[in-house]
Amino acid sequence: MTSLLNPHRPPVFCPGCGHERVVQALDQALTRMNLAGHQVAIVSDIGCSGLFDTFFNTHAFHGLHGRALTYATGLKLARPELTVIVTMGDGGLGIGGAHVLSACRRNVDLTLLVLNNFNYGMTGGQCSATTPSEARVGSGFLNRLEPPLDIAAVAAAAGAPWVRRVSGYDAQLAEAMAAAIAYEGFALLETRAICPGRYTRRNKLTPAAIEADLAALPPVEDLAARNRRAEYGRAYRQEAASLEPDAEPAWIRPQFAPVEAGRQEIVILGSAGQRAVTSGELLCLAGATAGLHASQKNDYPITVMRGHSISEVILTEGEIGYTGIETPTTVMALAAEGVARRSRLFAGLPAGARVIKAADVALPPCPAKIVEVDFGALKIRSADRSLAALAFLAARREVLSLEMLRAAIQLRFAGAACEQSLALVARVAETGGA
Amino acid sequence: MRLTLMEGNEAIGRGAMAAGCTFFAGYPITPATTIYNTMLQLLPPAGGVCLQGEDEIASIGFCLGAAMAGARAMTATSGPGISLYSEQISFAIGSEIPLVIVDVQRLGPSTGSATRGADGDIQFLRWGNSGGLPVIVLAPVDVRDCFELTVHAFNLAETYRCPVFLAANKEVSMTRETLDLDALCLPPVVSRQIAPPDQPYLPFAPGQGRRVPDFVPMGAACLVRQTSSTHGPDGYITTDADQIGAMQHRLSEKLLADVEAFTHFDWHPAPGADTLVIAYGVTARAARSAVVQRNAAGQPTALLVLKTLWPVPEALIARLAGPFRRIVVMEMNLGQYVREIERVLGRRDILFFGQMNGELIKPRQILEVIQS
Ligand code: SF4
């Protein structure tokens, strides 16, 4: 294969810049792997390494600082056949740290080349996440306070299955790159090289010193190899293939006559576990069986399983309009928590409103008509209380009818849950709502 | 009539599927989370990809990468996430990446109230990008709009190669409502125009007489360049002031010059009315209730519900609102879009009511403002 270097845009680095070697090695690796330009996308980060995409005749994606891995991930999952290579400096590594860690854990088939030259070259040689504490850089004393990050060790610890460090002056650089690209999964190759434009103006660093530093570090290849597992995209597609396509939303053709006219505003005041939200939904569905439009808003604490649980339902013949509760026509006071949460509502109730009140719940003074239900005497569990209250209303042909409620239950539940709910409704209906 | 019961967020998800969405990525955040839940349920079994990013920046970044590979992508968040999206939104605008972004607004500022509604991001969506280029923002009023406008949003993103926002609100997104499936009115699905294969491809050069460049997916036989840097038609960095100026002008004009093609609104005239109420989003519902009451009481009042908020449909507003003596605007913020109405009409006497306390503006409050 021929070189993929762009003859019209040769590298423009400072003389002696280590990035130049990485460019050449990357071209050799791609050539050796017989990859054509259109089979490869180079996603470059920001900084001097951010120029990489312009040097190659491949697909090119250059975006924001630290985010190269995010684009590469989307690109690869949308086009699995594409070879996606990310180039990033030690700057991108720091600012995009969360993405690096997540890419290691996720294991999408990407190659991340970390071009570590121990400082921010483009902006004037400030310290990066990999600057040695003793180095003299453009950030004054700040780098003395933060130890450098060993990104290869971090990547192996974070779950990357293929990790290596290599000197930019290593004769095997292209080979290492080809191995990283060939690996099916997330491969991180850290190259260490010199930035003569900034870093070595004030610090002594030679290829030999880089070799010596690398040799002194604990190896990471085997640690990373323990992370080997199925590539993310492959595993994703496998999981997805076993999923059932989602059913269309269930719908209702109106079949009953509504039992009340005008806008009805129903407020269910319960506590966690009383299924107020489910009953609110049943009420909406019941309304729909009679051709009514319905809306439902719920209110419960962010920490579920305790406290109030409130559902507000509106039923109307025409369009709903305003979805807030203005003048409740029916209030179901099923638990102290719900009543406390809406205590201000009671004094303003119109005399024509009705309140279904559980016998064990106390109410603030209220002008509406109150009907007390002793759920305890009826042996109704707390979890069934809101459904029982609906059944109670239906038995009285208030708000909804028993046919509407049964149809709603059949729409919402299947199997045992459906049977039990219908049985509960039948049991409450026997009382005739008295 | 076929009635189904659906939350606004589910309708957005189902609308996305109807629009041919193939890629979704998001980070859970109340009140947008149920869009992500819906997409996770619908997309993977349909052969698409739904991802949970490590944060909002990653989520929108995944979408940008996928969109450049040809996917029809969507992401969803709330105000705190839009804040984090900002730099990526600028990228999508400047580099012409089609994407649908849902902002289920919640009460701000900052983390604010996760479960309280607001329309506090209306100017932020418009101006939350570096460079200040225009964007498209659509605002749903109800569950049906959530479904239909999502399809429009995809079509617009494809047509104009740009991010398109759906400015939802917790009060629409997390409210369940009956939706008549037979009444849904979905536009035909539109796809981005693909470059002719037999000609050399310049990724940012629109064809003759067009303002939007043709698309080639990354991975196709012809090489594609994408860059967030200021670029010429070839996708390489340019410092040529004429080229740069022409590109910025094109990015602006491709939307501003075409706004009438995608001005969505509801118009409720009332014979003899001298008062007009202008509203958008969930507040339009209270406004409708108030206006119906006024008209029933023999006080004719007209209502304009805007669903395309940005670019501002200036011609429409001038044409419909121009003749009215009194104009009333209300929003769930302290006065954001009213500035645009004032600007377009050149009037400072607009009656405004803004509320930002986590509660819906009530029809009664609107009636009070009208009668004041
Ligand atoms: S500043 Fe450093 S990294 Fe950048 S081109 Fe010059 S030598 Fe290379």
Side-chain angles (χ1 to χ4, degrees), chain A residues 71 106 236 246 296-297, chain B residues 41 50 54 88 171 176:
Chain A
Y71 315 127
R106 198 175 287 124
Y236 190 105
D246 192 72
Q296 182 191 20
K297 298 210 303 174
Chain B
Q41 186 188 332
C50 175
E54 54 270 22
Q88 305 271 39
E171 290 287 352
R176 271 204 196 109

Side-chain angles (χ1 to χ4, degrees), chain A residues 6 9 53 59-60 62-64 67 70-71 74 99 102 106 236 246 250-252 294-297 321-322, chain B residues 2-4 14 41 50 54 62 87-88 171 176 178 218-220 222 224-228 236 285 289:
Chain A
N6 181 349
R9 299 197 176 248
D53 60 280
H59 295 291
H62 173 76
L64 301 158
R67 318 301 169 205
T70 71
Y71 315 127
H99 311 309
S102 302
R106 198 175 287 124
Y236 190 105
D246 192 72
W251 48 267
I252 300 161
S295 75
Q296 182 191 20
K297 298 210 303 174
Y322 178 62
Chain B
R2 287 186 302 146
L3 290 177
T4 187
R14 292 195 181 273
Q41 186 188 332
C50 175
E54 54 270 22
F62 296 165
E87 57 170 355
Q88 305 271 39
E171 290 287 352
R176 271 204 196 109
T178 40
M218 235 173 235
C222 126
V224 179
R225 283 196 52 76
Q226 178 53 286
T227 177
S228 55
Y236 286 102
R285 307 177 66 136
S289 293

Side-chain angles (χ1 to χ4, degrees), chain A residues 12-19 48 117 119 121-122 194-199:
Chain A
V12 288
F13 301 119
C14 306
C17 175
H19 289 355
C48 299
N117 59 13
N119 77 148
M122 195 174 260
I194 294 166
C195 163
R198 301 290 185 191
Y199 191 73

Side-chain angles (χ1 to χ4, degrees), chain B residues 51-243:
Chain B
L51 295 181
Q52 178 178 318
E54 54 270 22
D55 57 23
E56 282 89 347
I57 299 174
S59 301
I60 186 172
F62 296 165
C63 290
L64 296 180
M68 282 312 297
R72 297 167 75 94
M74 179 169 89
T75 184
T77 188
S78 187
I82 292 288
S83 309
L84 290 173
Y85 282 1
S86 173
E87 57 170 355
Q88 305 271 39
I89 291 169
S90 309
F91 181 17
I93 293 169
S95 302
E96 306 184 69
I97 308 178
L99 173 64
V100 174
I101 303 172
V102 186
D103 177 12
V104 184
Q105 296 171 89
R106 66 191 220 184
L107 185 68
S110 187
T111 49
S113 303
T115 57
R116 302 275 158 206
D119 284 322
D121 302 347
I122 294 304
Q123 290 283 353
F124 184 40
L125 292 177
R126 166 61 186 90
W127 296 106
N129 69 84
S130 55
L133 289 169
V135 294
I136 299 176
V137 179
L138 309 178
V141 167
D142 52 23
V143 171
R144 177 175 165 178
D145 276 349
C146 285
F147 206 122
E148 294 178 350
L149 289 181
T150 302
V151 182
H152 285 290
F154 270 90
N155 283 351
L156 292 170
E158 295 286 315
T159 303
Y160 297 101
R161 287 191 58 178
C162 64
V164 176
F165 293 95
L166 208 62
N169 175 323
K170 178 261 160 186
E171 290 287 352
V172 174
S173 274
M174 290 184 68
T175 298
R176 271 204 196 109
E177 216 179 333
T178 40
L179 171 70
D180 182 359
L181 292 170
D182 289 336
L184 269 183
C185 181
L186 302 182
V189 167
V190 175
S191 296
R192 60 196 86 165
Q193 187 159 315
I194 301 294
D198 49 349
Q199 283 161 35
Y201 180 57
L202 286 175
F204 297 102
Q208 199 61 40
R210 284 173 46 83
R211 291 198 186 87
V212 183
D214 290 349
F215 184 85
V216 169
M218 235 173 235
C222 126
L223 296 183
V224 179
R225 283 196 52 76
Q226 178 53 286
T227 177
S228 55
S229 298
T230 307
H231 48 267
D234 57 3
Y236 286 102
I237 289 180
T238 180
T239 52
D240 179 329
D242 291 340
Q243 223 174 44

Side-chain angles (χ1 to χ4, degrees), chain A residues 123-142:
Chain A
T123 53
Q126 294 81 6
C127 62
S128 75
T130 64
T131 307
S133 303
E134 64 280 7
R136 282 158 47 84
V137 289
S139 308
F141 63 91
L142 296 178

